[in-house]
């Protein structure tokens, strides 16, 4: 019995050893069922993509609260508002990352910037134009360095505009525009570098000071010197529905650089002056045409946009970007109205200028 038990025990020892050997052959599972290398793979879809979700929420708040971004340093608020629509391009990039990570959390977080962007710009994605209209107006910065003034003038004459506003008229090219536009537009007025050509009679034309010469030095310049480079005017167009006040303006240029940010002092002063002029206008029907060197989303134009509305936003199709002509990224050429109804708004084909012409059809 003792020998049998001993053998059995020995056999049992062999079994135990075998079991130990089998355990030694298995890889160490480590903490958790699948080991440390599998922890990320088993993270739930509501836990993955937290960084993407955070970026999405920040983007949404950034666009939602853009008006709260201060202008104290480098006019940062105005700079953001100038290119605000383009921040929407970040949304599909984040969405691609969320889908790649299979993160439900990030996808849900992206609802905030998507809703904010659509609320701000979704209306521009649809065609809001209507047929008809009593008057077609066109505005174009023809460019002082335009190498094809003749072709530009002929293209504008063929546009069908009843009232045509031109900005940045070079004195050397003025005669060309007057000659080429004379047949289509029997009435015209030019004050400095801005002018109006019209099929209908014009009257009560005067300059509008857009503060290109603010300060003591500017005030000391003679009137005839200022007139040579004047960039704002107001005139009255005699229509079948009564007088229409037409303002034409070319506001100061802006500069963007990494250190100073958005340099827009002259432009902002001009926008404020233009706002005061429009506020003082007694005619209830007003159209503002021109190169304002900024978008209507920019807070710098609040004195104007609080009293007038954009024809493109009210009756256009798309964003209507007008600059630069080779690859437009912003709409800085504007048609704003008060007291009339915009029926349609569009951008005309490129000319020899670095701006695209913009057009609108209005009714009473």
């Amino acid at each position: 019995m003792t020998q049998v038990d001993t053998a059995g025990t020995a056999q049992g020892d062999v079994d135990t050893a075998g079991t130990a050997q089998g355990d030694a052959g298995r890889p160490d599972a480590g903490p958790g069922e699948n080991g440390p290398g599998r922890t990320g793979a088993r993270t739930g879809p509501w836990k993955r993509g937290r960084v993407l979700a955070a970026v999405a929420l920040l983007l949404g708040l950034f666009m939602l609260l853009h008006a709260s971004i201060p202008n104290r340093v480098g006019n940062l608020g105005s700079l953001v508002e100038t290119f605000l629509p383009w921040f929407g391009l970040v949304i599909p990039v984040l969405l691609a990352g969320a889908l790649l990570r299979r993160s439900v959390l990030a996808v849900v977080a992206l609802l905030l910037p998507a809703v904010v962007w659509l609320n701000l710009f979704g209306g521009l994605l649809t065609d809001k134009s209507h047929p008809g209209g009593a008057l077609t107006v066109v505005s174009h910065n023809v460019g002082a360095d335009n190498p094809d003034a003749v072709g530009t003038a002929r293209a504008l004459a063929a546009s069908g505009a009843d009232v045509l506003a031109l900005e940045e008229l070079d004195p050397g090219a003025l005669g060309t525009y007057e000659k080429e536009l004379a047949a289509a537009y029997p009435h015209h007025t030019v004050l400095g570098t801005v002018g109006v050509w019209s099929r209908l009679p014009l009257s009560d034309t005067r300059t509008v000071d857009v503060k290109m010469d603010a300060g003591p030095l500017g005030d000391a310049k003679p009137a005839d010197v200022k007139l040579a480079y004047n960039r704002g005017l107001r005139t009255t167009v005699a229509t079948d529905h009564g007088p229409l006040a037409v303002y034409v303006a070319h506001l100061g240029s802006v500069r963007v650089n990494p250190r100073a940010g958005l340099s827009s002092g002259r432009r902002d002063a001009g926008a404020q002056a233009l706002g005061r002029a429009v506020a003082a206008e007694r005619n209830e029907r007003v159209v503002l045409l021109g190169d304002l060197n900024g978008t209507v989303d920019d807070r710098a134009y609040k004195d104007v946009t609080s009293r007038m509305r954009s024809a493109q936003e009210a009756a256009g199709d798309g964003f209507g970007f007008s600059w630069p002509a080779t690859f437009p990224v912003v709409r800085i050429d504007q048609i704003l109205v008060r007291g009339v109804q915009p029926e349609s708004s569009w951008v005309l084909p490129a000319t020899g200028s670095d701006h695209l012409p913009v057009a609108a059809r209005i009714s009473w």
Side-chain angles (χ1 to χ4, degrees):
M1 293 292 294
T2 301
Q3 291 179 349
V4 173
D5 290 339
T6 301
T9 302
Q11 181 66 41
D13 291 341
V14 172
D15 292 340
T16 302
T19 302
Q21 183 179 359
D23 289 341
R26 292 175 59 190
D28 185 7
E33 182 180 349
N34 293 290
R38 300 290 298 278
T39 302
R42 292 183 59 81
T43 302
W46 287 97
K47 295 184 179 180
R48 288 193 293 266
R50 292 179 180 179
V51 173
L52 288 170
V55 173
L57 292 176
L58 289 174
L59 175 63
L61 292 173
F62 179 79
M63 292 191 295
L64 179 64
L65 304 175
H66 67 87
S68 300
I69 300 174
N71 252 355
R72 290 188 297 271
V73 180
N75 288 320
L76 181 60
S78 288
L79 181 60
V80 167
E81 288 162 344
T82 298
F83 298 100
L84 193 58
W86 291 96
F87 286 94
L89 293 179
V90 181
I91 297 175
V93 174
L94 293 176
L95 179 60
L99 295 177
L100 186 64
R101 293 279 290 128
R102 298 182 182 179
S103 171
V104 175
L105 178 65
V107 171
V108 172
L110 277 167
L111 290 175
L112 176 62
V115 169
V116 172
W117 192 91
L118 288 173
N119 181 63
L120 291 172
F121 305 110
L124 295 174
L125 301 179
T126 60
D127 185 357
K128 298 173 292 300
S129 63
H130 303 90
L135 198 73
T136 299
V137 295
V138 168
S139 177
H140 189 28
N141 179 327
V142 294
D145 299 323
N146 190 330
D148 186 18
V150 172
T152 298
R154 291 177 178 176
L156 293 172
S159 69
D162 298 297
V163 177
L164 175 63
L166 302 186
E167 304 90 45
E168 206 171 294
L169 283 165
D170 181 76
L174 177 58
T176 299
Y177 287 106
E178 290 178 327
K179 176 183 177 181
E180 296 297 331
L181 296 173
Y185 301 99
H187 311 279
H188 88 280
T189 182
V190 176
L191 293 177
T193 63
V194 293
V196 174
W197 276 257
S198 175
R199 300 183 192 276
L200 304 170
L202 302 174
S203 64
D204 192 20
T205 301
R206 58 181 182 268
T207 61
V208 175
D209 184 7
V210 292
K211 301 300 179 183
M212 295 303 296
D213 268 325
L217 292 178
D219 294 339
K221 292 181 180 180
D224 58 336
V225 173
K226 289 186 177 182
L227 182 60
Y229 54 86
N230 172 71
R231 294 170 69 160
L233 70 78
R234 182 258 185 225
T235 191
T236 300
V237 178
T239 76
D240 294 339
H241 303 274
L244 174 70
V246 172
Y247 284 77
V248 181
H250 180 196
L251 299 187
S253 300
V254 299
R255 297 289 184 269
V256 180
N257 64 71
R259 292 186 177 181
L262 182 70
S263 177
S264 59
R266 284 189 175 182
R267 184 207 65 177
D268 296 349
Q272 294 170 8
L274 199 54
R276 291 191 293 270
V278 171
E281 175 59 53
R282 295 184 177 182
N283 195 325
E284 63 179 10
R285 299 187 180 100
V286 185
V287 173
L288 168 60
L289 306 161
D291 172 9
L292 302 189
N293 269 312
T295 72
V296 293
D297 297 308
D298 191 331
R299 68 194 67 180
Y301 301 96
K302 63 181 180 180
D303 292 340
V304 176
T305 55
S306 62
R307 298 179 175 92
M308 308 184 76
R309 58 176 175 158
S310 164
Q312 181 66 27
E313 291 192 350
D317 181 11
F319 289 92
F321 294 147
S322 63
W323 183 87
T326 52
F327 186 78
V329 296
V330 292
R331 182 182 178 90
I332 61 176
D333 302 275
Q334 308 292 348
I335 299 177
L336 304 175
V337 301
R338 185 185 80 190
V340 295
Q341 177 63 37
E343 300 293 351
S344 56
S345 180
W346 64 98
V347 177
L348 293 169
T351 66
S353 171
D354 60 338
H355 292 245
L356 296 177
V358 294
R361 191 149 180 84
I362 60 175
S363 65
W364 281 259

